[in-house]
Amino acid sequence: MKSFTYERAQSPREAAAAVERVQGAKFIAGGTNLLDLMKLEIETPVHLIDVNGLTLDKIEPTAEGGLRIGALVRNTDLAADARVRRDYGVLSRALLAGASGQLRNKATTAGNLLQRTRCPYFYDTNQPCNKRQPGSGCGALAGFSRQHAVIGASEACIATHPSDMAVAMRALDAVIETVRADGTVRRIPIADFYRAPGNTPHLETALMPGELITAVVLPKPIGGVHVYRKVRDRASYAFALVSVGAIVQSDGSGRVALGGVAHKPWRMEVAERALPRGAKAVAEQLLAGAKPTHENEFKLPLVERTLQAVLMQARS
């Protein structure tokens, strides 16, 4: 690990100003992803701004009837919150599917949204990776691609986003609140938060340099049956081959978001109109234009089968 300097921020605006002031600085909270990447020298921040002391660890009701989740709320606390379990069950279930209990005790809401891909070519500094080193190429394109994206990728990157929580947040239409060094506050719908890889896969979100996530806001509950199903190579502590987060209403309508298939949580609202017709119709629209490799083309029928199992569970 390369040496770095460190400071504790006293306010969100001060934290944002510190990152803007020092080129190569980064925020740190739980550190469950960042510290691993620093040990491998994939991330090499020269300065860390510790945001753990900020009062961003509350879950509070909003005037609109939703919930405002502070950026520093730990995954364990969010999954266990009675309001989340009752009204946003898909989120609680996704969090519990995400990692070990020890990691959930440290991992934060904002950090979960911002975690980097688990593509092995990203983690191996001897391999080319446009996310890690822009312009170096993508080793996965001609390499082992079983875990990789089947839709929404590009010739520069076929990595997937690893977050389970983000899939549930996408199904719930969450909004991400941020602050910048000058005090400017933004509200970014999660549908607009993640960027397509294109030719710049190292630019992963809509955040500006120095912009700090302060909260994630969930809208008023919409009811329905909430299901999160994750298909993986082993029963725990593994990233999704395919995951489905769904909210199904009594009339057969609902919402569906996928994980493990794209660079971001994958949801197409137009496909949800086909929910009353069944999993096959929805999957065909969700995956229209998919470009799998020969190693991960199994994900296409796996999406349909997983979605079918989710719909059967929701309607039983």
Side-chain angles (χ1 to χ4, degrees):
M1 182 185 291
K2 293 189 175 181
S3 61
F4 56 90
T5 52
Y6 170 90
E7 70 174 284
R8 291 191 178 106
Q10 302 301 312
S11 71
R13 185 172 176 178
E14 179 185 307
V19 167
E20 190 174 83
R21 182 180 70 250
V22 182
Q23 186 174 3
K26 283 189 174 292
F27 305 116
I28 186 168
T32 58
N33 188 202
L34 178 59
L35 290 177
D36 284 344
L37 295 174
M38 289 173 65
K39 292 173 185 176
L40 295 170
E41 295 188 6
I42 294 168
E43 294 273 14
T44 55
V46 299
H47 187 61
L48 291 181
I49 296 91
D50 189 338
V51 298
N52 282 296
L54 307 183
T55 56
L56 301 175
D57 58 352
K58 304 290 191 302
I59 304 174
E60 303 168 311
T62 65
E64 296 74 26
L67 284 181
R68 186 176 187 272
I69 303 163
L72 293 175
V73 172
R74 307 293 161 164
N75 286 179
T76 294
D77 297 329
L78 183 57
D81 187 271
R83 295 161 295 184
V84 174
R85 293 176 64 188
R86 182 188 66 231
D87 297 327
Y88 306 97
V90 66
L91 176 56
S92 182
R93 292 178 173 89
L95 286 163
L96 293 174
S100 68
Q102 294 92 331
L103 283 173
R104 290 197 298 270
N105 289 342
K106 291 291 292 181
T108 63
T109 299
N112 192 307
L113 291 174
L114 294 174
Q115 61 184 298
R116 308 294 303 276
T117 183
R118 265 43 179 208
C119 171
Y121 295 93
F122 174 74
Y123 271 79
D124 185 349
T125 55
N126 293 311
Q127 298 291 331
C129 174
N130 289 316
K131 272 189 181 293
R132 175 172 28 82
Q133 187 178 354
S136 63
C138 175
L141 283 172
F144 296 102
S145 55
R146 182 172 181 272
Q147 296 275 353
H148 288 73
V150 296
I151 194 165
S154 72
E155 290 300 313
C157 182
I158 59 171
T160 57
H161 195 274
S163 173
D164 292 287
M165 186 191 80
V167 176
M169 292 289 196
R170 181 67 181 91
L172 291 166
D173 282 332
V175 174
I176 296 157
E177 293 185 349
T178 70
V179 67
R180 298 187 67 185
D182 60 2
T184 303
V185 174
R186 279 210 295 165
R187 289 172 56 87
I188 310 170
I190 194 168
D192 302 326
F193 184 69
Y194 295 106
R195 296 171 52 129
N199 294 319
T200 55
H202 61 291
L203 302 176
E204 297 174 344
T205 72
L207 293 176
M208 303 295 290
E211 194 168 11
L212 174 69
I213 295 175
T214 54
V216 177
V217 179
L218 301 180
K220 184 178 178 179
I222 62 170
V225 178
H226 292 227
V227 181
Y228 188 80
R229 182 170 291 238
K230 181 177 182 179
V231 181
R232 44 191 165 177
D233 283 327
R234 58 181 186 268
S236 65
Y237 200 54
F239 297 98
L241 291 169
V242 164
S243 64
V244 174
I247 305 170
V248 183
Q249 304 296 339
S250 58
D251 62 359
S253 64
R255 302 177 181 180
V256 174
L258 304 179
V261 298
H263 60 286
K264 63 178 182 178
W266 193 255
R267 181 182 172 199
M268 296 180 65
E269 284 82 344
V270 65
E272 294 167 356
R273 299 173 192 166
L275 270 169
R277 303 206 309 271
K280 183 177 179 63
V282 178
E284 284 177 350
Q285 293 195 46
L286 276 173
L287 299 174
K291 296 180 180 179
T293 69
H294 72 281
E295 290 188 348
N296 65 18
E297 59 188 0
F298 72 91
K299 287 190 177 187
L300 303 185
L302 185 58
V303 166
E304 181 183 335
R305 292 199 300 269
T306 306
L307 181 55
Q308 178 63 42
V310 165
L311 294 180
M312 289 177 64
Q313 180 180 342
R315 292 165 179 167
S316 65

